[in-house]
Amino acid sequence: MALRQIREIGDACLNKKCKPVKEINKRTTDLIDDLLDTMYEAEGVGLAAPQVGILKRIAVVDTGEEYQDGPLVLINPEVLETEGEQTDYEGCLSVPGKVGRVTRPNYAKVKAYDAGMNEYIVEGEGLLARALLHEIEHLDGHMYVEKVSGPLLTNEELAELLKEQEEE
Ligand code: ZN
């Protein structure tokens, strides 16, 4: 188990297009283990390799839903289909302490390879679709803040806003 340092917005690694993975070796499996450890430690639902400074097309996602085989390891992921629309507050471990309102498809179908380089398909709605699309964008050097409508809020500001809306 090893934790890696999460790169924050402004770090050049977060704006680079990542390279496809050709084969799995010890370095790749160590990276996957570290991504998972780092994501859980930071209480995130997803983490992409460029967020720890590695420019490879690898991301992990765990939204707490039941998957076939533990958390999702996405190697060379590709979005096959999207559908619908959802708007919600979204955050990123590389933009600590902030959230912003982002509109995304409500459904996503993604093809990826698992840690054993076996191809699989994952379909998600709601939070899972959001997490998949968010992480895959990291691999192309994009951040959710590019898509935010309105201001970035702190968690306290968001809680305040939601309370006000409830009272209305
Ligand atoms: Zn992110």
Coordinates of all heavy atoms in Angstrom, one line a residue, residues 12-72:
A12 N 0.9 21.1 -14.4 CA 0.9 20.8 -15.9 C 0.4 19.4 -16.2 O -0.2 19.2 -17.3 CB 2.3 21.0 -16.5
C13 N 0.7 18.4 -15.3 CA 0.2 17.0 -15.6 C -1.3 16.9 -15.8 O -1.7 16.0 -16.5 CB 0.6 16.2 -14.4 SG 2.3 15.8 -14.3
L14 N -2.0 17.9 -15.3 CA -3.5 17.8 -15.4 C -4.0 18.3 -16.7 O -5.2 18.2 -17.0 CB -4.1 18.6 -14.2 CG -3.9 18.0 -12.9 CD1 -4.3 18.9 -11.8 CD2 -4.5 16.6 -12.7
N15 N -3.1 18.8 -17.5 CA -3.6 19.4 -18.8 C -3.0 18.6 -20.0 O -3.0 19.1 -21.1 CB -3.2 20.9 -18.9 CG -3.9 21.7 -17.8 OD1 -3.2 22.2 -16.9 ND2 -5.2 21.8 -17.9
K16 N -2.5 17.5 -19.7 CA -1.8 16.7 -20.8 C -2.7 15.5 -21.2 O -3.4 14.9 -20.4 CB -0.4 16.2 -20.3 CG 0.5 17.3 -19.9 CD 1.8 17.2 -20.6 CE 2.7 18.5 -20.6 NZ 3.3 18.6 -19.3
K17 N -2.5 15.2 -22.5 CA -3.2 14.0 -23.0 C -2.4 12.8 -22.6 O -1.1 12.8 -22.8 CB -3.3 14.1 -24.6 CG -4.4 13.2 -25.1 CD -4.6 13.5 -26.6 CE -5.3 12.4 -27.3 NZ -6.7 12.2 -27.0
C18 N -3.0 11.8 -22.0 CA -2.3 10.6 -21.5 C -2.1 9.6 -22.6 O -2.9 9.5 -23.5 CB -3.0 10.0 -20.3 SG -3.1 11.2 -19.0
K19 N -1.1 8.7 -22.4 CA -0.7 7.7 -23.4 C -1.5 6.4 -23.1 O -1.6 6.0 -22.0 CB 0.8 7.4 -23.4 CG 1.6 8.6 -23.9 CD 2.9 8.0 -24.5 CE 3.7 9.1 -25.2 NZ 4.3 10.1 -24.3
P20 N -1.9 5.7 -24.2 CA -2.5 4.4 -24.0 C -1.6 3.4 -23.3 O -0.4 3.5 -23.5 CB -2.9 3.9 -25.4 CG -2.8 5.1 -26.3 CD -1.8 6.1 -25.6
V21 N -2.1 2.5 -22.5 CA -1.4 1.4 -21.9 C -1.3 0.3 -22.9 O -2.3 -0.2 -23.4 CB -2.1 0.9 -20.6 CG1 -1.3 -0.3 -20.0 CG2 -2.2 2.1 -19.6
K22 N -0.1 -0.2 -23.1 CA 0.1 -1.3 -24.1 C 0.2 -2.7 -23.4 O -0.3 -3.7 -23.9 CB 1.4 -1.1 -24.9 CG 1.2 0.1 -25.9 CD 2.2 0.1 -27.0 CE 2.2 1.3 -27.8 NZ 3.3 2.3 -27.5
E23 N 0.8 -2.7 -22.2 CA 0.9 -4.0 -21.5 C 0.9 -3.7 -20.0 O 1.3 -2.6 -19.6 CB 2.2 -4.7 -21.9 CG 3.4 -3.9 -21.8 CD 4.7 -4.7 -21.6 OE1 4.7 -5.9 -22.0 OE2 5.7 -4.1 -21.2
I24 N 0.5 -4.7 -19.3 CA 0.5 -4.5 -17.8 C 1.8 -5.1 -17.3 O 2.2 -6.3 -17.5 CB -0.7 -5.3 -17.2 CG1 -2.0 -4.8 -17.7 CG2 -0.6 -5.3 -15.7 CD1 -2.3 -3.4 -17.2
N25 N 2.5 -4.3 -16.5 CA 3.7 -4.8 -15.8 C 3.6 -4.5 -14.4 O 2.6 -3.9 -13.9 CB 5.0 -4.3 -16.5 CG 4.9 -2.7 -16.6 OD1 4.4 -2.1 -15.7 ND2 5.5 -2.2 -17.7
K26 N 4.7 -4.7 -13.6 CA 4.6 -4.5 -12.2 C 4.4 -3.0 -11.9 O 3.6 -2.7 -10.9 CB 6.0 -5.0 -11.6 CG 6.2 -4.6 -10.1 CD 5.8 -5.7 -9.2 CE 6.2 -5.6 -7.8 NZ 6.0 -4.3 -7.1
R27 N 5.0 -2.2 -12.7 CA 4.8 -0.7 -12.5 C 3.3 -0.3 -12.6 O 2.8 0.5 -11.9 CB 5.6 0.1 -13.4 CG 7.1 0.2 -13.0 CD 7.9 0.9 -14.0 NE 7.5 2.3 -14.1 CZ 8.4 3.2 -14.5 NH1 9.6 2.9 -14.9 NH2 8.0 4.5 -14.6
T28 N 2.7 -1.0 -13.6 CA 1.2 -0.6 -13.8 C 0.4 -1.2 -12.7 O -0.5 -0.4 -12.2 CB 0.7 -1.3 -15.2 OG1 1.8 -1.4 -16.1 CG2 -0.4 -0.5 -15.8
T29 N 0.6 -2.4 -12.3 CA -0.2 -2.9 -11.2 C 0.1 -2.2 -9.9 O -0.9 -1.9 -9.1 CB 0.0 -4.4 -11.0 OG1 1.4 -4.7 -10.9 CG2 -0.5 -5.2 -12.1
D30 N 1.3 -1.7 -9.6 CA 1.6 -0.9 -8.5 C 0.8 0.4 -8.5 O 0.3 0.9 -7.6 CB 3.1 -0.6 -8.4 CG 3.9 -1.8 -7.9 OD1 3.2 -2.8 -7.5 OD2 5.1 -1.8 -7.9
L31 N 0.8 1.0 -9.7 CA 0.1 2.3 -9.9 C -1.4 2.1 -9.6 O -2.0 2.9 -9.0 CB 0.3 2.8 -11.4 CG -0.5 4.0 -11.8 CD1 -0.1 5.2 -10.9 CD2 -0.3 4.3 -13.3
I32 N -2.0 1.0 -10.2 CA -3.4 0.8 -9.9 C -3.7 0.6 -8.4 O -4.6 1.3 -7.9 CB -3.9 -0.5 -10.7 CG1 -3.8 -0.2 -12.2 CG2 -5.3 -0.9 -10.3 CD1 -4.0 -1.4 -13.1
D33 N -2.9 -0.1 -7.7 CA -3.0 -0.3 -6.3 C -2.9 1.0 -5.6 O -3.7 1.4 -4.7 CB -2.0 -1.3 -5.7 CG -2.2 -2.7 -6.1 OD1 -3.4 -3.0 -6.6 OD2 -1.3 -3.5 -6.0
D34 N -1.9 1.8 -6.0 CA -1.7 3.1 -5.3 C -2.9 4.1 -5.6 O -3.3 4.9 -4.8 CB -0.4 3.8 -5.8 CG 0.8 3.0 -5.3 OD1 0.6 2.0 -4.5 OD2 1.9 3.3 -5.7
L35 N -3.4 4.1 -6.9 CA -4.5 4.9 -7.2 C -5.7 4.6 -6.3 O -6.4 5.5 -5.8 CB -4.9 4.7 -8.7 CG -4.1 5.4 -9.7 CD1 -4.5 5.0 -11.1 CD2 -4.2 6.9 -9.7
L36 N -6.0 3.3 -6.1 CA -7.1 2.9 -5.2 C -6.8 3.4 -3.8 O -7.7 4.0 -3.2 CB -7.3 1.4 -5.3 CG -7.9 0.9 -6.6 CD1 -7.7 -0.7 -6.8 CD2 -9.3 1.2 -6.8
D37 N -5.6 3.1 -3.3 CA -5.3 3.5 -1.9 C -5.5 5.0 -1.8 O -6.0 5.5 -0.8 CB -3.9 3.1 -1.6 CG -3.7 1.6 -1.4 OD1 -4.7 0.9 -1.3 OD2 -2.6 1.1 -1.5
T38 N -5.0 5.7 -2.7 CA -5.0 7.2 -2.6 C -6.4 7.7 -2.7 O -6.8 8.7 -2.0 CB -4.1 7.8 -3.7 OG1 -2.8 7.2 -3.7 CG2 -3.9 9.3 -3.6
M39 N -7.2 7.1 -3.6 CA -8.6 7.5 -3.8 C -9.4 7.3 -2.5 O -10.1 8.2 -2.0 CB -9.3 6.8 -4.9 CG -10.8 7.0 -5.0 SD -11.5 6.1 -6.4 CE -11.6 4.4 -5.7
Y40 N -9.2 6.1 -1.9 CA -10.0 5.8 -0.6 C -9.5 6.7 0.5 O -10.3 7.2 1.3 CB -9.8 4.3 -0.3 CG -10.6 3.4 -1.2 CD1 -9.9 2.3 -1.8 CD2 -11.9 3.6 -1.5 CE1 -10.6 1.5 -2.7 CE2 -12.6 2.8 -2.4 CZ -12.0 1.7 -3.0 OH -12.6 0.9 -3.8
E41 N -8.2 6.9 0.6 CA -7.7 7.7 1.7 C -8.2 9.1 1.6 O -8.6 9.8 2.6 CB -6.1 7.8 1.6 CG -5.4 8.7 2.5 CD -5.4 8.2 4.0 OE1 -5.7 7.0 4.2 OE2 -5.2 9.1 4.9
A42 N -8.4 9.6 0.3 CA -8.9 11.0 0.1 C -10.4 11.1 0.1 O -11.0 12.1 -0.1 CB -8.3 11.6 -1.1
E43 N -11.1 9.9 0.3 CA -12.5 9.8 0.2 C -13.1 10.3 -1.1 O -14.1 11.0 -1.1 CB -13.1 10.5 1.4 CG -12.7 9.8 2.7 CD -13.3 10.4 4.0 OE1 -14.1 11.3 3.9 OE2 -13.0 9.9 5.1
G44 N -12.5 10.0 -2.2 CA -13.0 10.3 -3.5 C -13.7 9.2 -4.1 O -13.7 8.0 -3.6
V45 N -14.5 9.4 -5.2 CA -15.2 8.3 -5.9 C -14.4 8.0 -7.2 O -14.9 7.1 -7.9 CB -16.6 8.6 -6.2 CG1 -17.4 8.8 -4.9 CG2 -16.8 9.9 -7.1
G46 N -13.4 8.7 -7.5 CA -12.6 8.3 -8.7 C -11.2 9.0 -8.7 O -11.1 10.1 -8.0
L47 N -10.3 8.4 -9.4 CA -9.0 9.1 -9.5 C -8.3 8.6 -10.8 O -8.4 7.4 -11.1 CB -8.1 8.7 -8.2 CG -6.8 9.4 -8.1 CD1 -7.0 10.9 -7.8 CD2 -6.0 8.8 -6.9
A48 N -7.7 9.5 -11.4 CA -7.0 9.2 -12.7 C -5.5 9.4 -12.6 O -5.0 10.2 -11.8 CB -7.6 10.1 -13.8
A49 N -4.8 8.6 -13.3 CA -3.3 8.5 -13.2 C -2.7 9.9 -13.3 O -1.8 10.2 -12.6 CB -2.7 7.6 -14.3
P50 N -3.1 10.8 -14.3 CA -2.5 12.1 -14.3 C -2.6 12.9 -13.0 O -1.8 13.8 -12.8 CB -3.2 12.8 -15.5 CG -4.5 12.1 -15.7 CD -4.1 10.6 -15.3
Q51 N -3.6 12.6 -12.2 CA -3.8 13.3 -10.9 C -2.7 12.9 -9.9 O -2.5 13.6 -8.9 CB -5.2 12.9 -10.3 CG -6.3 13.5 -11.1 CD -7.6 13.2 -10.4 OE1 -8.2 12.2 -10.6 NE2 -8.1 14.2 -9.6
V52 N -1.9 11.8 -10.2 CA -0.8 11.5 -9.4 C 0.5 11.7 -10.2 O 1.6 11.2 -9.9 CB -0.9 10.1 -8.7 CG1 -2.1 10.1 -7.8 CG2 -0.9 9.0 -9.7
G53 N 0.4 12.4 -11.3 CA 1.6 12.7 -12.1 C 2.0 11.7 -13.2 O 3.1 11.8 -13.7
I54 N 1.2 10.7 -13.4 CA 1.5 9.6 -14.4 C 0.6 9.8 -15.6 O -0.6 9.7 -15.5 CB 1.3 8.2 -13.8 CG1 2.0 8.1 -12.4 CG2 1.8 7.2 -14.8 CD1 3.5 8.0 -12.5
L55 N 1.3 10.0 -16.8 CA 0.5 10.3 -18.0 C 0.1 9.1 -18.8 O 0.5 8.9 -19.9 CB 1.2 11.4 -18.8 CG 1.5 12.7 -18.1 CD1 2.3 13.6 -19.0 CD2 0.2 13.3 -17.7
K56 N -0.6 8.2 -18.1 CA -1.1 6.9 -18.7 C -2.6 6.9 -18.6 O -3.2 7.4 -17.7 CB -0.5 5.7 -18.0 CG 0.9 5.5 -18.3 CD 1.3 4.2 -17.5 CE 2.8 3.9 -17.8 NZ 3.3 3.0 -16.8
R57 N -3.2 6.2 -19.6 CA -4.7 6.1 -19.6 C -5.2 5.1 -18.6 O -5.7 4.0 -19.0 CB -5.2 5.9 -21.0 CG -4.7 7.0 -22.0 CD -5.4 6.9 -23.4 NE -6.7 7.4 -23.4 CZ -7.0 8.7 -23.5 NH1 -6.0 9.6 -23.6 NH2 -8.2 9.1 -23.5
I58 N -5.2 5.4 -17.4 CA -5.7 4.5 -16.3 C -6.4 5.4 -15.3 O -6.0 6.5 -14.9 CB -4.5 3.9 -15.5 CG1 -3.6 3.1 -16.5 CG2 -5.0 3.0 -14.4 CD1 -2.4 2.4 -15.8
A59 N -7.6 4.9 -14.9 CA -8.3 5.6 -13.8 C -9.0 4.5 -13.0 O -9.2 3.4 -13.4 CB -9.4 6.5 -14.4
V60 N -9.4 4.9 -11.8 CA -10.2 4.0 -10.9 C -11.4 4.7 -10.5 O -11.4 6.0 -10.3 CB -9.4 3.5 -9.7 CG1 -8.2 2.6 -10.1 CG2 -8.8 4.7 -8.8
V61 N -12.5 4.0 -10.3 CA -13.8 4.6 -9.9 C -14.4 3.6 -8.8 O -14.4 2.4 -9.0 CB -14.7 4.8 -11.1 CG1 -16.2 5.0 -10.6 CG2 -14.3 5.9 -12.0
D62 N -14.9 4.2 -7.8 CA -15.8 3.4 -6.8 C -16.8 4.4 -6.2 O -16.5 5.2 -5.4 CB -14.9 2.8 -5.7 CG -15.7 1.8 -4.9 OD1 -17.0 1.8 -5.0 OD2 -15.1 1.1 -4.1
T63 N -18.0 4.3 -6.7 CA -19.1 5.1 -6.3 C -19.9 4.5 -5.1 O -20.9 5.0 -4.7 CB -20.1 5.5 -7.4 OG1 -20.5 4.2 -8.0 CG2 -19.4 6.3 -8.5
G64 N -19.4 3.3 -4.7 CA -20.1 2.6 -3.6 C -21.1 1.7 -4.1 O -21.8 1.0 -3.3
E65 N -21.3 1.6 -5.4 CA -22.3 0.7 -6.0 C -21.6 -0.7 -6.1 O -20.4 -0.8 -5.9 CB -22.8 1.1 -7.4 CG -23.6 2.4 -7.3 CD -23.7 3.1 -8.7 OE1 -24.3 2.4 -9.6 OE2 -23.2 4.2 -8.9
E66 N -22.5 -1.7 -6.3 CA -21.9 -3.1 -6.4 C -21.4 -3.3 -7.9 O -22.2 -3.2 -8.8 CB -23.0 -4.1 -6.1 CG -23.3 -4.3 -4.7 CD -22.4 -5.2 -3.9 OE1 -21.8 -6.1 -4.6 OE2 -22.1 -4.9 -2.7
Y67 N -20.2 -3.6 -8.0 CA -19.7 -4.0 -9.3 C -19.4 -5.4 -9.3 O -19.3 -6.0 -8.3 CB -18.4 -3.2 -9.7 CG -18.6 -1.7 -9.5 CD1 -17.8 -1.0 -8.6 CD2 -19.5 -1.0 -10.3 CE1 -18.0 0.4 -8.4 CE2 -19.7 0.4 -10.1 CZ -18.9 1.0 -9.2 OH -19.1 2.4 -9.0
Q68 N -19.2 -6.0 -10.5 CA -18.9 -7.4 -10.6 C -17.7 -7.8 -9.8 O -17.7 -8.8 -9.2 CB -18.7 -7.8 -12.1 CG -19.5 -8.9 -12.5 CD -19.6 -9.0 -14.0 OE1 -19.0 -8.3 -14.7 NE2 -20.5 -9.9 -14.5
D69 N -16.7 -6.9 -9.8 CA -15.4 -7.4 -9.4 C -14.7 -6.3 -8.6 O -13.6 -5.9 -8.9 CB -14.6 -7.7 -10.6 CG -13.5 -8.7 -10.3 OD1 -13.5 -9.3 -9.3 OD2 -12.5 -8.8 -11.2
G70 N -15.3 -5.8 -7.5 CA -14.7 -4.7 -6.7 C -14.7 -3.4 -7.4 O -15.5 -3.2 -8.3
P71 N -13.8 -2.5 -7.1 CA -13.8 -1.2 -7.7 C -13.5 -1.3 -9.2 O -12.9 -2.2 -9.6 CB -12.7 -0.4 -6.9 CG -11.9 -1.5 -6.3 CD -12.7 -2.6 -6.1
L72 N -13.9 -0.3 -9.9 CA -13.7 -0.3 -11.4 C -12.3 0.2 -11.7 O -11.9 1.3 -11.3 CB -14.7 0.6 -12.1 CG -16.1 0.2 -12.0 CD1 -17.0 1.3 -12.6 CD2 -16.3 -1.1 -12.8

